[in-house]
């Protein structure tokens, strides 16, 4: 697209904000609620976009880039418009602890592990300071601690927003000075172009401030080859329209959609359906003929769509289609529910496709409910009651939905969550329903009941629960209440078991330099009568401090399938109580394909300083001394961390 003059080479993606609240309209853009998953995703996404290479030499020691990625939106940005509060005026009050062990984790991985060329600051304030004017964030953390090699950009019109809407500075020129001195390099919008000259004239901004911003931006352009002359002579100069929508790319879209589907319910192994037995299938619901809805937001123009109706139609003799609702909102008394019920009554099986779309959850639009919109639940229940064959419910949504009514309905044999599965979504859904593909996806977010919303205002940024105030906490790491489905849930058409092949039972943490000679490096805290001991990560020898974990995964069913091994760590109870650490935290995960009856060994390594440390209330990373528990499916394993003998 760049070679054809239709695009630039910088893409302001990925969105790696934590999906903290189930109502967030932009949660669909993110990899979910877990910091470890988001961090892995961030680094992989950036590497995939940038594909750094050495061809043609380096620019000032910097690697060349295919395209430039941008990690957004830094930081604690996960509210768009809810109950009178919007992202342009919101001040996110966040503790140092939550910043360190939740909100900033994927951004650190994006920059440190992915080597992203850019980071975008957000609209909101954090603890009273606009993120695009926060020097401790931009210069201190992103460029200082994480060593960003690239530029920092504002979200579009963020500088104007903190001047005009948040009234953070008195004059335009003060806003320019605040953001440039904080470390912003590029303004998405006209604000700096209009007012920087005046800020220089008033000596609020120096030439050096501008030189630094220009340098950080132009170096990325140079790394992209934008000053290297004839495109045809450059490494990617041969790419053109003929490389878009190739069969390989369309097959990849289908494979991605298949892998992402999550099987939530499968009573009595009702799924997969059999084309021989279920020759007539009713395909009903407002998403039965979904096209644009399947690609969510921030998507290009697809090569073509396969709707769910088309996908299912390829497997059966007759597909009886009735929408059941005039649209996804499904409001009003004139909804064609009766026609859908009649189709279900005449079919061998029924597939009901319901959920959300961009009119219900989107950028600038947070949800007010976790229930299905309008009369969709009524449609599902009526169809299930009338159906003579198995009923399969398929949900399209970016965020979680309270489907407890369907989960508890014995007439609904199977439930699939499709997310927004892309251009090939209809084919992927059909392939899973009829067993051509064995589902292996896992939920990236907790699915809460509707009443959770009454206890957790979107404006409360705290991750940890506060029982005294009736605040339930957020995500599987801190919320312990009832769920519709837990984080990581996902069924398969086969069954897997785990056996621990190798993992040490104990490990010693060595201290660095002069810390090895002083007992003060071992911190002790007493909380509710329990004594917790820990070592600051900054005092530990972290290099090579890893715990190997080898797991044998056996497929004990009769179908080949993919399985994701999830490794959770829990710190010593005393440390959890003293520091408010998560009850458990995902620290490693790997997907493996195992044939029926086969065994595959998965080898993972846990970085002690990253994976087994906890953030204290000041945001300082500490390694708890004592017994850590690892949970892998039905397995538990204890690893005791000690500290090498301290000198006197």
């Amino acid at each position: 697209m760049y070679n054809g003059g239709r695009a630039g080479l910088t893409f302001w993606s990925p969105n790696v904000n934590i999906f903290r609240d189930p109502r967030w309209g932009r949660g669909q853009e993110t990899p979910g609620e877990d910091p470890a998953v988001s961090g892995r995703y961030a680094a992989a996404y950036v590497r995939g976009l940038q594909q750094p290479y050495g061809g043609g030499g380096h620019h000032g020691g910097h690697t060349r880039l295919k395209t430039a990625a941008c990690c957004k939106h830094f930081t604690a940005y996960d509210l768009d418009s809810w109950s009178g509060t919007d992202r342009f005026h919101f001040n996110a009050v966040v503790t140092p602890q939550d910043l360190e062990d939740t909100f900033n984790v994927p951004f650190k991985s994006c920059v440190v592990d992915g080597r992203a060329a850019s980071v975008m600051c957000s609209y909101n304030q954090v603890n009273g300071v606009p993120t695009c004017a926060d020097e401790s964030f931009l210069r201190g953390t992103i460029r200082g601690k994480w060593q960003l090699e690239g530029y920092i950009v504002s979200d579009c019109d963020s500088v104007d927003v903190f001047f005009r809407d948040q009234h953070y500075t008195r004059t335009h020129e003060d806003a320019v000075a605040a953001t440039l001195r904080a470390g912003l390099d590029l303004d998405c919008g006209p604000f700096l172009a209009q007012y920087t000259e005046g800020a220089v004239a008033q000596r609020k901004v120096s030439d050096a401030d501008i030189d630094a911003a220009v340098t950080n931006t132009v170096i990325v352009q140079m790394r992209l080859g934008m000053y290297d002359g004839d495109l045809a002579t450059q490494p990617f100069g041969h790419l053109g329209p003929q490389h878009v929508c190739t069969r390989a790319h369309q097959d990849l879209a289908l494979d991605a959609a298949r892998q992402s589907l999550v099987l939530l319910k499968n009573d009595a192994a009702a799924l997969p359906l059999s084309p021989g037995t279920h020759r007539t299938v009713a395909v009903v619901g407002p998403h039965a003929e979904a096209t644009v809805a399947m690609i969510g937001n921030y998507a290009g123009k697809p090569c073509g769509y396969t709707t769910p109706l088309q996908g299912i139609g390829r497997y059966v003799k007759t597909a009886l289609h009735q929408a059941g609702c005039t649209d996804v909102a499904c409001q009003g008394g004139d909804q064609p529910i009766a026609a859908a019920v009649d189709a279900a009554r005449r079919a061998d099986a029924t597939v009901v496709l319901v959920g959300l779309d961009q009119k219900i959850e989107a950028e600038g639009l947070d949800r007010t409910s976790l229930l299905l919109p309008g009369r969709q639940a009524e449609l599902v229940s009526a169809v299930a009651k009338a159906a003579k064959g198995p009923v399969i419910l398929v949900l399209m949504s970016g965020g979680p939905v309270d489907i407890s009514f369907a989960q508890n309905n014995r007439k609904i044999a199977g439930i699939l969550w499709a997310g927004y599965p892309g251009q090939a979504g209809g084919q992927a859904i059909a392939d899973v329903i009829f067993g051509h593909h064995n589902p292996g996806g896992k939920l990236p977010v907790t699915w809460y009941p509707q009443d959770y919303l009454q206890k957790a205002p979107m404006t409360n940024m705290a991750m940890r629960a506060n029982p005294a105030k009736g605040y339930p906490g957020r995500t599987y790491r801190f919320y312990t209440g009832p769920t519709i489905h837990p984080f990581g849930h996902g069924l398969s058409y086969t069954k897997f078991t785990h056996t621990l092949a190798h993992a040490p039972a104990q490990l010693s943490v060595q201290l660095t330099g002069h810390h090895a000679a002083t007992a003060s490096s071992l911190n002790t805290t007493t909380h509710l009568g329990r004594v917790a001991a820990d070592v600051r990560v900054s005092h530990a020898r972290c290099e090579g401090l890893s715990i190997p974990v080898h797991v044998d995964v056996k497929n004990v069913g009769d179908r080949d399938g993919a399985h994701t091994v999830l490794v959770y760590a829990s710190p010593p109870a005393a440390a959890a109580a003293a520091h408010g650490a998560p009850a458990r935290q995902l620290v490693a995960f790997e997907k493996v394909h195992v044939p029926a009856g086969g065994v595959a060994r998965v080898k993972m390594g846990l970085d002690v300083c990253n994976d087994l440390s906890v953030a204290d209330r000041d945001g300082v990373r500490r390694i708890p001394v004592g017994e850590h528990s690892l949970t892998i499916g039905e397995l538990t394993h204890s690893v005791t961390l000690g500290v090498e003998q301290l000198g006197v």
Side-chain angles (χ1 to χ4, degrees):
M1 301 302 286
Y2 172 75
N3 293 346
R6 295 295 189 91
L9 288 175
T10 293
F11 295 91
W12 285 345
S13 190
N15 180 343
V16 296
N17 292 115
I18 297 295
F19 197 169
R20 171 189 63 99
D21 188 288
R23 290 160 287 201
W24 188 31
R26 299 188 74 174
Q28 61 184 293
E29 300 175 32
T30 76
E33 71 181 36
D34 182 71
V37 172
S38 299
R40 277 269 294 272
Y41 169 95
Y45 195 122
V46 168
R47 286 192 293 263
L49 275 182
Q50 296 189 163
Q51 295 183 11
Y53 66 101
H58 298 276
H59 286 295
H62 299 282
T63 56
R64 298 288 296 269
L65 301 173
K66 184 177 185 179
T67 62
C70 176
C71 309
K72 65 183 187 183
H73 314 77
F74 190 84
T75 181
Y77 172 88
D78 50 28
L79 179 152
D80 270 60
S81 181
W82 176 81
S83 192
T85 300
D86 66 48
R87 56 185 172 162
F88 306 118
H89 299 85
F90 181 49
N91 175 30
V93 178
V94 189
T95 66
Q97 187 175 36
D98 283 341
L99 282 173
E100 172 62 30
D101 75 0
T102 299
F103 296 111
N104 287 356
V105 171
F107 290 97
K108 181 179 180 180
S109 182
C110 220
V111 175
V112 175
D113 301 324
R115 308 308 303 171
S118 176
V119 174
M120 177 185 287
C121 50
S122 55
Y123 291 119
N124 57 292
Q125 296 184 0
V126 173
N127 299 327
V129 182
T131 63
C132 293
D134 194 319
E135 185 172 358
S136 68
F137 279 168
L138 307 191
R139 288 196 192 279
T141 299
I142 298 173
R143 196 169 296 285
K145 293 179 182 177
W146 299 344
Q147 297 290 294
L148 172 72
E149 295 182 67
Y151 67 91
I152 299 173
V153 62
S154 73
D155 203 344
C156 294
D157 294 319
S158 280
V159 182
D160 185 70
V161 163
F162 80 64
F163 169 72
R164 195 176 311 277
D165 295 332
Q166 299 174 6
H167 308 293
Y168 184 69
T169 63
R170 188 175 58 85
T171 69
H172 297 94
E173 292 77 17
D174 288 337
V176 171
T179 196
L180 286 179
R181 288 177 179 173
L184 190 77
D185 301 306
L186 181 64
D187 175 25
C188 175
F191 196 94
L192 292 190
Q194 292 173 331
Y195 301 111
T196 301
E197 188 173 357
V200 172
Q202 296 176 27
R203 297 188 177 182
K204 293 181 176 180
V205 171
S206 69
D207 287 355
D209 294 326
I210 297 173
D211 288 347
V214 172
T215 299
N216 290 332
T217 305
V218 171
I219 282 177
V220 173
Q221 295 178 329
M222 295 175 72
R223 294 172 68 193
L224 289 166
M226 294 174 68
Y227 300 100
D228 290 356
D230 185 6
L231 281 171
T233 65
Q234 296 187 40
F236 305 108
H238 66 288
L239 295 174
Q242 71 274 19
H243 296 99
V244 179
C245 289
T246 63
R247 172 47 53 193
H249 293 160
Q250 295 191 59
D251 289 346
L252 183 61
L254 175 58
D255 184 47
R258 286 170 174 162
Q259 289 198 46
S260 68
L261 292 176
V262 183
L263 180 60
L264 300 176
K265 178 183 178 181
N266 191 19
D267 284 355
L271 285 171
L273 300 182
S274 166
T277 303
H278 307 104
R279 297 167 61 84
T280 299
V281 174
V283 185
V284 305
H287 277 316
E289 293 189 289
T291 53
V292 175
M294 292 196 298
I295 62 174
N297 66 351
Y298 281 104
K301 181 177 286 189
C303 307
Y305 293 108
T306 302
T307 70
L309 178 61
Q310 290 170 333
I312 293 168
R314 294 171 182 173
Y315 281 96
V316 300
K317 180 181 179 181
T318 305
L320 305 176
H321 172 241
Q322 291 292 338
C325 295
T326 55
D327 56 19
V328 172
C330 200
Q331 293 178 333
D334 57 347
Q335 300 302 317
I337 293 176
V341 168
D342 182 62
R345 192 177 284 119
R346 293 186 289 122
D348 300 318
T350 300
V351 179
V352 191
L353 296 114
V354 298
L356 314 178
D357 63 9
Q358 300 305 305
K359 293 181 180 178
I360 293 163
E361 56 175 0
E363 180 172 359
L365 179 63
D366 296 324
R367 293 158 67 191
T368 57
S369 171
L370 299 183
L371 303 176
L372 286 171
R375 299 176 64 188
Q376 284 192 31
E378 179 186 341
L379 166 68
V380 173
S381 296
V383 164
K385 183 177 181 180
K388 70 175 183 179
V391 176
I392 310 303
L393 177 64
V394 179
L395 295 155
M396 284 191 201
S397 68
V401 183
D402 182 345
I403 50 164
S404 50
F405 79 96
Q407 199 67 34
N408 298 327
N409 188 331
R410 293 182 179 179
K411 291 293 296 287
I412 298 174
I415 302 177
L416 273 174
W417 181 57
Y420 292 126
Q423 65 176 41
Q427 185 62 52
I429 289 167
D431 288 347
V432 168
I433 288 175
F434 288 96
H436 181 71
H437 178 80
N438 186 356
K442 305 291 185 184
L443 287 182
V445 292
T446 301
W447 283 36
Y448 303 92
Q450 170 72 6
D451 64 6
Y452 174 84
L453 304 188
Q454 311 308 316
K455 306 168 187 174
M458 276 196 82
T459 47
N460 189 331
M461 298 295 293
M463 297 301 298
R464 289 153 172 83
N466 186 339
K469 294 186 176 180
Y471 181 67
R474 298 185 180 277
T475 77
Y476 80 92
R477 296 162 66 229
F478 301 106
Y479 170 73
T480 58
T483 63
I484 306 302
H485 288 294
F487 170 87
H489 175 66
L491 306 175
S492 170
Y493 293 155
T494 188
K495 181 176 174 57
F496 300 94
T497 61
H498 307 87
T499 304
L500 189 63
H502 173 67
Q506 55 189 19
L507 194 71
S508 292
V509 177
Q510 294 181 332
L511 303 180
T512 60
H514 70 278
H515 299 298
T518 171
S520 64
S521 293
L522 187 62
N523 178 67
T524 57
T525 306
T526 302
H527 182 79
L528 299 178
R530 291 187 286 189
V531 178
D534 58 65
V535 174
R536 280 193 182 216
V537 167
S538 59
H539 295 175
R541 295 183 186 272
C542 291
E543 188 175 348
L545 189 58
S546 178
I547 297 176
V549 178
H550 300 172
V551 179
D552 286 339
V553 179
K554 184 173 184 179
N555 183 341
V556 298
D558 58 3
R559 290 176 178 266
D560 298 352
H563 177 64
T564 302
V565 180
L566 304 175
V567 181
Y568 294 91
S570 299
H579 299 305
R584 63 184 185 124
Q585 164 73 54
L586 186 66
V587 292
F589 56 94
E590 292 295 339
K591 179 181 280 189
V592 62
H593 189 273
V594 190
V599 178
R601 178 160 295 181
V602 179
K603 296 182 178 181
M604 294 166 283
L606 307 186
D607 182 318
V608 171
C609 289
N610 286 330
D611 298 330
L612 298 188
S613 65
V614 301
D616 69 15
R617 300 183 198 281
D618 296 319
V620 176
R621 282 273 175 188
R622 299 180 179 277
I623 305 169
V625 174
E627 186 177 287
H628 293 249
S629 179
L630 304 181
T631 304
I632 309 161
E634 68 279 14
L635 296 177
T636 58
H637 175 71
S638 294
V639 179
T640 299
L641 295 183
V643 178
E644 284 206 358
Q645 182 67 42
L646 301 177
V648 178

